[in-house]
Amino acid sequence: MEWTGLNELREKFLSFFESKGCLRLPSFSLVPKDDNSLLLINSGMAPMKKYFTGEVTPPRKRVTTCQKCIRTPDIERVGITARHGTFFEMLGNFSFGDYFKHEATAWAWEFFTKVLEMPADKLYVSIYQDDDEAYKIWTEEVGVDPSHMVRLGKEDNFWEHGSGPCGPCSEIYFDRGPEKGCGKPDCHVGCECDRYVEVWNLVFTQFESDGKGNYTPLDHPNIDTGMGLERLACVMQGVDNLFLVDTIQNIMKKISEITGVEYGTDDKKDISLRVITDHIRSTTFMIGDGVLPSNEGKGYVLRRLLRRAARHGRLLGYTEPFLYKVCDTVIKENLTAYPELKEKQEFITKVIRVEEESFAKTIDQGFKMLQNIIEDADVKTLSGEDAFKLNDTYGFPIDLTREILEEKGIKVDVDRFRELLKEQKKRSRDARKNAGADAWISDSTDLSDVEKTEFVGYTDLECKSKVLAIVKDGIRIESAGEGESVVLVLDKTPFYAESGGQVGDTGVIESGSFSADVFDTTKDTSGKLFLHECSIKSGSVNVGSEVNCVIDKERRADITRNHTAAHLLQAALRQVLGNHVQQAGQLVSDTTLRFDFTHFEAMTAKELIEVENLVNQKIFEAIEVNTREMPIEEAKKLGAMALFGEKYGDVVRVVSAGDFSVEFCGGTHVKNTSNLGLFKIRQEGSVAAGVRRIEALTGYGVLNYINKVNAAIVGACTALKIANPKAVVEGAQKASEIIKAQQKEIAELNSKLAVNKLAEFFANTEVENGVRIVTGSLSDVNADVLRSMCERGKDKAPNAVIVLAAVNDNKVTFAAACGKAALEKGANAGKIVKTVAQAAGGNGGGKPDLAMAGAKDPDKVEKALSIVKDTVYSMLK
């Protein structure tokens, strides 16, 4: 057999199965669609589960793919071994009730022996121990030598996952030769050594399992095969592991070029090179499929991989951001199969660079904290509180903390860390919680028998409706009266339900003496029912009542202005900043629009003005805004922008403002851009790494903003005693200069007072055990003054150990310093200040000669200072 490159192998496989009538499908996204059971796609068949179950009709009964996959359960092993990786490609051919064992086995053998020209005597086949049918096919039809057939048990050769479709497997192994084996006389297929490599797994899905050991034959059995592309490349290229495969080795060479570290010269450095190589492959593909770094879910996996790779870069002695440079090589090596990576190259590179730079800013502080812990010989376990602080304050993933400390033999209290994390998430959820809706509608409220609500609000702002259900405190009731807060479900409604970032409509629902204020409209979990959250003002309402629904028209008009403005804003941002800009979230209300978008640095004043002017230009051009429904493929051809992660059906609603903005959208919009009146950006800022946020106003919101700004200017004039508003800036600058001068004078006076106070503290001390211990407390002194006093003290007296405390606004700051002679005696400021701070309900640390700490209990300051002497004496040699 001939050496074959990875990209060539992929194409040979897909072309071969195309010749057998299989439809070649492109790799599905790493982000699962309509499947909450998976965080990321982890196998070739995972994106096609619904084809196998019959929920969705496949585009053809025979399919072949090369699927991108991510698996992270063994992430700690990646790099340590040469076998483990998080990213891989899975070659597969699938039959949905079409061909079965005869074809699957024959084609697999043909591909290996004819297309790839693998020697038949190097191939071995395993089957499920009771699958006589497969044995007969392999030996009598395919022609495999019986001596190369192996029967294995259920654990190895029967695919089953609870109840549902299942069946026996047949695996093909490649014999790499006795020199790769363990040398044992009974070495055979299934041995743990490296001689026999499992390359291809053919799953014959022919039974339905009830999960209790009972199996029923399927009427239409399926074929699901999977073969790791990298593993196949190892065999064809005669290398021992995936990191030596051509395309992957080229990525590693780029890392070596940047870091100056060659693979194969140092075992520890080889681990780091493997980690970086694997993780940059994973992260490049994940970002290409729309995953962004975050602290939850897919984003956390991405962040964890990037930070782990960055940390291993530091272990190689390279502290500058560099991963973003390597992703160009990843894209180049995978260009033939994944050309979309090239289109997103700028975006991927920027995301990685921003995350690297963000991590670099906090990692040094986190490492200092970890270093202090490692230096403390008494620490055997890192507390959950410290682990949480590292995660919450310094951005250290718990896995990275564990990995670093375990290298030093220090454990981490992960259980306590998870408790604290859980508490934090609960606080976050409680802060966001919509108490009213959660109280009225719960998971236990059964509305399955209620008909779907018809939404007429695109064209009608009021309509006649019928009450289908009434819910109060999560329970369905038949009637409700004055003073009650309820949810009304109607057969028809003009009220827009909160979705796509647009808030729900408000208004009134009434009939005769009955009147209710609608203060929010949402949807149930199925998305088919509109939930009108109401407060009944008068009368009563029953299930079956006929009512009249009227939305707040002025509020709706304000909302539609802001929603259309959000579309124009996105188009303007892409034109000014570049096509890497994508919507990352939005909130459109009657008072403002909040638009989150992917970008990697703060917008300049010039860019903000340019975007604002461009949106206003489109408003002044009075462009007609059209909304229409069309097949999704037609919408894509128009270039309609889709929100990443949003689920769309076969038919979509497209909103367009001429050629300037074309987007998928289910929200409400103005008829003409001129209806927006004016557009004003109020502020721009960061919400996450690589994600910026703009808050903006339209229509009356702009007028209100101008009036508030004018009022602020008039107020500033009054405060500065200026008659002419044009002189406000000059007056503010003069006031600022005066304040700076006064602050400088105050700082100089404080410094003189601190010197006098330090002398006072020294005056009451004497040298004992070779050191002079100086302690004292002050009030209304900041941390800088405290540190300066300590530095001055240790320079004045090399044998001194100084510990000072200051109380400001009920917060305590401690500073400790050790002179050169005191250090030689064994004193350590970092350990001293940590012990003292803990006595006052705080914590901290730092260098042996100078350290700072904080505490929460001012009443315990004197008690904390009283233990300084014993703490120091316990350290002395």
Side-chain angles (χ1 to χ4, degrees), residues 26-32 35 37-49 52 65-73 86-94 159 161 201 203 224-228:
S27 174
F28 292 84
S29 169
L30 283 168
V31 179
D35 185 355
S37 67
L38 288 176
L39 194 63
L40 293 159
I41 293 298
N42 60 6
S43 68
M45 66 82 65
M48 293 188 280
K49 280 193 287 189
F52 283 106
T65 63
C66 181
Q67 176 62 43
K68 300 171 286 188
C69 302
I70 296 277
R71 287 184 191 169
T72 56
T86 58
F87 177 84
F88 61 97
E89 295 179 74
M90 185 64 80
L91 299 167
N93 59 288
F94 308 92
W159 185 86
H161 190 69
N201 185 17
V203 180
D224 162 24
T225 85
M227 174 164 54

Side-chain angles (χ1 to χ4, degrees), residues 99-117:
Y99 65 83
F100 198 47
K101 289 184 186 179
H102 297 278
E103 295 86 347
T105 55
W107 294 343
W109 195 255
E110 182 185 348
F111 179 70
F112 271 176
T113 60
K114 302 297 183 185
V115 178
L116 298 186
E117 298 179 349

Side-chain angles (χ1 to χ4, degrees), residues 295-336:
N295 290 328
E296 290 185 329
K298 305 170 187 65
Y300 175 72
V301 174
L302 174 62
R303 174 163 284 166
R304 181 182 173 192
L305 291 170
L306 280 173
R307 292 187 169 185
R308 192 167 187 260
R311 187 235 167 182
H312 277 276
R314 287 172 173 252
L315 291 179
L316 294 176
Y318 203 85
T319 58
E320 296 297 317
F322 72 99
L323 297 172
Y324 73 95
K325 299 176 183 176
V326 186
C327 77
D328 291 351
T329 304
V330 178
I331 292 170
K332 179 183 175 184
E333 293 298 325
N334 290 278
L335 200 56
T336 54

